[in-house]
Amino acid sequence: MATIRPFKGIRPPKEFVEKVESRPYDVLSSEEARAEAGDNEMSLYHIIKPEIDFEPGTSEYDPRVYEQAAGNFRKFQEKGWLKQDTQDCYYIYAQTMNGKTQYGLVVGAFVNDYLNGVIKKHELTRKDKEEDRMKHVRVCDANIEPVFFAYPDNSVLDSLIKKYVTSTPEYDFIAPVDGFGHQFWIISDAADIETITREFAKMPALYIADGHHRSAAAALVGAEKAKANPNHRGDEEYNYFMAVCFQASQLTILDYNRVVKDLNGLTEEEFLEKLATNFIVEKKGTEIYHPEALHNFSLYLGGTWYSLTAKKGVYDDSDPIGVLDVDISSRLILDEILNIKDLRTDKRIDFVGGIRGLEELKARVDSGEMKMALALYPVSMKQIMDIADSGKIMPPKATWFEPKLRSGLVIHKLGE
């Protein structure tokens, strides 16, 4: 069962929130962060991308950069740009994209739930990325940015959230980069806090939607602190890390598409011929073609769009991995025909999040940078949960959640 608890969030005063808030650290480069921060000394990028305070080209892994993060976090608190709430709270964080709003509960998630598998993952993590985030958590002694969880739909929590969101939010703004709406409410009522804690305690699992490296780093640092504390009790703040939890049915998962530099020595005709072994290939013309259902793919090649439909028998509906379109395309197109074996390391392939649209795929092929593009039908939240429940791992670059959480609305400190 899932264990959560409220915490005393560190947050910007209402009048500063739009100066402080930022995109997550891992969706933009150092140069982009430097440009977005500009001359705004309150930007959270000074804490989550502190290399922007050094000469251009400074490595984000430079030891000075981590120390700068900690120094800037202290400075933000000293100057009153971030202030800690005086009582333990849960928070509601709402995001609106294209007229659709999803409501998340900001909670302290239990480190042991991650270590014991109650918090379930569907992606592999890389040790170098884990260690980077662990250094950041250690030096700041805080979870500066939240992770993104899904939970099974719950009518009690749904009703409680609806009660709050009819009131005036603490924060309410449109983010300048994505144009999406972001709102934030505080839950400090003891009875409501108890209800939330109790309802989560009934859930057999929580699911990491986005932020596998941040989750791993936060949990591992919490475990480190527990081991190093001779007086460890189990109720210290470091036993928890910050997560925003959304009802699974509310989440939007976009397609995560592929572009490839060459056809592995094949002509376009030979490539299409090989595809016909495992796919029904239909020429669609010059108008952009979107995949219409699971196992239907969109191919852009030589100025023309094609529909590819996987033939019966080339995938296993009873296998939670084998039924995925990312697995079908990886096995039968990228590996078997194009000899792309490792999606994480092969330089011949790149990935385009669905938020950019299929126009981006067309542009990258038309420019001559890429030879072909492959668009996939989005993975469903049910598929992700089924895979996590089965203990299996999804293929790389399978999911693109949107909108991304904004950082800086609330921070969780690990110290007492």
Side-chain angles (χ1 to χ4, degrees):
M1 302 295 111
T3 300
I4 62 163
R5 79 174 190 188
F7 61 97
K8 296 180 179 71
I10 297 178
R11 308 183 290 108
K14 194 181 300 190
E15 64 271 21
F16 294 151
V17 67
E18 291 184 70
K19 286 278 196 183
V20 173
E21 66 90 21
S22 76
R23 290 198 276 167
Y25 85 99
D26 56 350
V27 303
L28 76 171
S29 68
S30 303
E31 293 72 28
E32 289 170 320
R34 192 185 303 275
E36 280 187 30
D39 59 1
N40 174 17
E41 59 179 345
M42 291 190 201
S43 171
L44 196 76
Y45 291 133
H46 293 289
I47 300 174
I48 62 171
K49 302 284 284 182
E51 65 272 17
I52 69 173
D53 291 352
F54 296 88
E55 58 279 2
T58 300
S59 169
E60 60 197 288
Y61 308 115
D62 188 312
R64 295 175 301 157
V65 168
Y66 295 104
E67 289 302 325
Q68 185 77 2
N72 285 343
F73 183 38
R74 285 193 298 273
K75 173 179 148 184
F76 274 48
Q77 294 172 82
E78 288 162 4
K79 287 188 171 286
W81 303 340
L82 292 171
K83 292 184 176 180
Q84 188 163 24
D85 286 331
T86 56
Q87 65 182 102
D88 289 332
C89 302
Y90 288 125
Y91 307 89
I92 298 170
Y93 174 23
Q95 302 172 295
T96 302
M97 179 179 79
N98 301 333
K100 176 189 169 188
T101 303
Q102 58 192 33
Y103 298 94
L105 287 163
V106 189
V107 308
F110 192 34
V111 164
N112 284 355
D113 281 355
Y114 180 89
L115 301 176
N116 298 334
V118 172
I119 295 170
K120 298 193 174 187
K121 44 191 174 284
H122 64 264
E123 284 182 11
L124 294 172
T125 52
R126 282 173 39 188
K127 287 296 175 193
D128 58 335
K129 287 193 167 188
E130 277 183 23
E131 185 54 38
D132 164 53
R133 284 303 91 188
M134 288 174 74
K135 286 177 181 174
H136 196 271
V137 174
R138 286 187 197 113
V139 76
C140 292
D141 200 33
N143 310 128
I144 303 293
E145 298 181 272
V147 296
F148 184 164
F149 286 177
Y151 63 88
D153 287 16
N154 181 296
S155 58
V156 174
L157 294 177
D158 198 35
S159 297
L160 187 148
I161 289 168
K162 282 175 177 168
K163 177 182 79 174
Y164 275 86
V165 301
T166 57
S167 64
T168 303
E170 176 75 3
Y171 306 143
D172 189 355
F173 62 92
I174 303 290
V177 175
D178 59 26
F180 303 145
H182 301 268
Q183 296 173 301
F184 191 88
W185 292 263
I186 299 161
I187 300 176
S188 56
D189 178 80
D192 289 339
I193 286 173
E194 172 58 32
T195 296
I196 294 167
T197 307
R198 186 179 65 244
E199 289 303 312
F200 271 82
K202 297 175 184 176
M203 297 177 192
L206 300 175
Y207 299 85
I208 302 173
D210 213 358
H212 281 77
H213 289 97
R214 266 168 282 171
S215 297
L220 291 170
V221 170
E224 261 180 13
K225 284 178 165 285
K227 193 174 180 183
N229 182 1
N231 302 312
H232 174 72
R233 304 181 308 272
D235 62 349
E236 298 89 349
E237 280 301 323
Y238 61 68
N239 293 287
Y240 295 82
F241 61 100
M242 183 170 59
V244 186
C245 305
F246 292 88
Q247 292 199 89
S249 65
Q250 291 187 0
L251 295 178
T252 300
I253 308 174
L254 300 182
D255 41 314
Y256 207 172
N257 302 315
R258 284 85 168 103
V259 286
V260 181
K261 289 186 176 179
D262 63 71
L263 298 182
N264 193 31
L266 301 171
T267 65
E268 292 179 10
E269 293 72 23
E270 289 168 336
F271 178 61
L272 290 168
E273 204 173 295
K274 284 186 176 289
L275 284 172
T277 303
N278 293 311
F279 298 87
I280 299 164
V281 181
E282 300 171 84
K283 194 172 185 176
K284 291 293 182 179
T286 56
E287 290 295 309
I288 287 176
Y289 172 73
H290 291 263
E292 294 179 341
L294 283 173
H295 312 329
N296 180 236
F297 303 83
S298 172
L299 170 70
Y300 186 63
L301 176 70
T304 301
W305 290 89
Y306 297 85
S307 164
L308 309 180
T309 304
K311 293 179 179 177
K312 292 288 184 187
V314 301
Y315 55 87
D316 181 359
D317 275 326
S318 65
D319 178 356
I321 298 291
V323 75
L324 292 175
D325 286 348
V326 285
D327 184 71
I328 293 168
S329 59
S330 294
R331 283 188 296 110
L332 302 180
I333 302 175
L334 301 177
D335 183 349
E336 192 174 296
I337 302 176
L338 297 176
N339 197 36
I340 294 172
K341 306 288 186 187
D342 189 337
L343 301 189
R344 288 188 180 85
T345 60
D346 199 305
K347 303 297 185 199
R348 296 165 55 216
I349 189 167
D350 197 9
F351 304 89
V352 181
I355 193 71
R356 293 181 179 272
L358 268 55
E359 293 81 4
E360 173 78 3
L361 301 186
K362 182 178 186 298
R364 292 187 68 174
V365 174
D366 287 348
S367 72
E369 177 202 0
M370 296 292 176
K371 181 65 179 175
M372 58 83 82
L374 191 68
L376 282 62
Y377 194 76
V379 174
S380 71
M381 198 62 222
K382 182 182 185 307
Q383 285 178 310
I384 291 174
M385 292 165 78
D386 286 347
I387 287 164
D389 286 340
S390 73
K392 295 188 176 182
I393 296 297
M394 292 185 79
K397 310 291 186 180
T399 58
W400 184 276
F401 286 88
E402 201 71 43
K404 302 293 185 189
L405 301 176
R406 301 301 285 190
S407 297
L409 304 189
V410 63
I411 290 167
H412 172 241
K413 209 167 188 175
L414 303 187
E416 295 299 317

